[in-house]
Amino acid sequence: MKCFLRHRNALSLPARVLALVIFAFAAAAAPAGAQTTTSPTLYRLEAGSSFSRGCYGPCQCPIFTTKDIRGTYTLALDHVYPLFTCYRV
């Protein structure tokens, strides 16, 4: 017969699972952080960058791709709505 010692303050397995589930739901419910600064951020498109536009998935419409685009642009936070965030390009 084997004897296992357990600390007096240790949580049982069901309590641990419950705590993990509560933590997972709390983490999932926390809002994701967006760009918090109002100052513009500079982005650079390096050689080999591409842009695609069209339908993806089961649609039959074509996908147009522009390859090897280069340049820079700035992205600045404009305003925030409950469901989406707008940026100035």
Side-chain angles (χ1 to χ4, degrees), residues 1-88:
M1 178 173 162
K2 293 185 179 182
C3 181
F4 296 100
L5 295 177
R6 201 171 115 184
H7 294 285
R8 291 180 60 212
N9 295 333
L11 293 174
S12 65
L13 182 62
R16 288 181 189 176
V17 171
L18 179 62
L20 182 62
V21 168
I22 290 172
F23 176 75
F25 276 112
Q35 185 178 1
T36 57
T37 179
T38 56
S39 63
T41 303
L42 178 67
Y43 290 91
R44 181 178 313 278
L45 300 173
E46 300 290 342
S49 298
S50 64
F51 174 75
S52 298
R53 178 182 288 176
C55 298
Y56 296 91
C59 299
Q60 295 296 322
C61 53
I63 297 174
F64 299 99
T65 301
T66 304
K67 294 184 180 180
D68 201 29
I69 56 176
R70 298 177 193 183
T72 59
Y73 65 95
T74 56
L75 191 66
L77 180 63
D78 190 15
H79 54 276
V80 178
Y81 290 116
L83 297 178
F84 56 90
T85 304
C86 296
Y87 294 90
R88 290 187 317 269

